[in-house]
Amino acid sequence: MEPLIYELSVPGRVGVDMPEPDVPHFELPENLRRTEFHFPEVSQIDVTRHFTRLSRMNMSIDTNMYPLGSCTMKYNPRVNEDAARLNGFAQVHPLQSAEGTQGALYVMHALQGMLAEIGGFAAASLQPAAGAHGELTGILIMRAWHRSRGDNKRTTMLIPDSAHGTNPASSAMAGLTVVEIPSDARGNVDLAALQAHLGPDVCGLMMTNPNTLGMFEEHIQEVCDMVHAAGGLVYGDGANMNAIVGVVKPGDIGIDVMHYNLHKTFSTPHGGGGPGSGPVMVVDKLAAFLPGPVVRIRPGSDTDEENDGVPFYEWHTPAQSIGRMRAFAGNFGMLLRAYTYIRVHGEAGLRANSMNAVLNANYIQARIKHAYHAPFGQDRWCMHETVVQGKFEGAPDIKALDVSKRLMDKGFHPPTNYFPLTVPEALMIEPTESESKQTLDKFCEAMLEIAREAVTSPELLKNAPAHAPVKRLDEVKAARELVLCCKIV
Ligand SMILES: *Cc1c(COP(=O)(O)O)cnc(C)c1O
């Protein structure tokens, strides 16, 4: 085990010179003062080595292929970072006046417009901090719309079993009752089951398309029409938009509200690389309910001769807004990165990225499906990801988890395991457009080798990972006896 930074501590050792304070000295009252501090006492080189060591223990998109299904772990282009680091943006404060922040407001206004345009929607809010937060926002908008029409009885959300787990969670958080709709044998929503559940209690349907089986919903138009005919709205979980940007506009098909994950489709970093961002787009009739404030052009400013028709950007809270979902304007640094990504690629580039993402996933599916059963990939193309099964004839003890652990030994981050829940021993593989054919080939060869090893030397899989800094964890213990901070002795 690597030493904790506290274990490197030696009393009296320091790594910084604090500058003389440039503000007046102020004596805190005695009762507010702490006398003991548990800071590690370390030198600069201790700290540098410690964090460099930790960073090397990480698997990341900057070091290895990261085919984690549903997460769209695409490359985060460095030009995004250049834009986000520009002084005028990086130093801007959310409480500055609109007059002093026209550049930042311009970017947000343009991004609202581009995201709405890409999805086929009328308006957008950039506030939500991630995908699941966008879901909650969208559901609250749907609920508010029904209520504004005096329709207070719509308390049920229909959710296909091929949806992401956050969908039922967000619906429950918004106070709705969740009813699951099964999939049919081809991985589509079962239309008869949907029809049976439609009624005056239905707030709407929440669907992920392409769904978590990596399949485009073949009856999407019919599904939307059925829900609308029953008085409901359709929520589109846009987390899988990387498959269809520039090809399909969900708003044109009948989706009423949708979120994007900028940290997936629009190349902003995941996790440790920065916060997420989950903008929400809506059709025209829902625009008045968006969380406020959003950015708009001050009415008349763009035709005003006095300022030469230069538009003035300002904050505006829509008339029937559900209110704020978050402090300030959203994760602005992420908005800048996504804006940069869209502007660098343009319409043709974004479409090419989606098509390459789909091509890459199908290439993998085609190369490995004789060794890994692809339950929905036998007679269908997949979209941006393929779901296969980590179980083999002649290797009864081998599970999907063993395949994933062995992949780590071969230098790949594992795919998503045991999701979707409807596929036993699921391995969900999403290569994204970022990977070259050479890397895809290496990945496929590793997968095929593991399938052979599963039969000939299963212990290699059972004992994997052999080279990772942390071996197999006791996942039950980790969940039951969670340790959230290191103990200072
Ligand atoms: C990632 C994902 C979400 C949740 O998004 P977060 O940004 O992680 O909150 C929702 N639905 C699908 C299909 C996803 O892949």
Side-chain angles (χ1 to χ4, degrees), residues 69-72 129-135 162-167 208-212 237-240 259-264 270 276-278 385 419 428 430:
S70 209
C71 294
T72 313
H133 197 207
E135 291 171 27
S162 61
H164 194 263
T166 49
N167 293 185
T208 308
N209 186 40
N211 64 27
T212 56
D237 178 331
N240 291 341
H259 78 264
Y260 291 110
N261 306 56
L262 298 189
H263 46 288
K264 295 180 181 172
H270 279 68
S277 182
E385 61 197 358
F419 184 77
M428 186 192 218
E430 180 181 7

Side-chain angles (χ1 to χ4, degrees), residues 370-372 392 394-395 410 444-458 460-461:
H370 66 280
Y372 292 83
F392 312 92
K410 297 181 189 289
C444 291
E445 277 145 29
M447 287 293 284
L448 295 173
E449 196 175 7
I450 292 170
R452 287 192 295 273
E453 289 171 351
V455 180
T456 57
S457 27
L460 283 178
L461 278 69

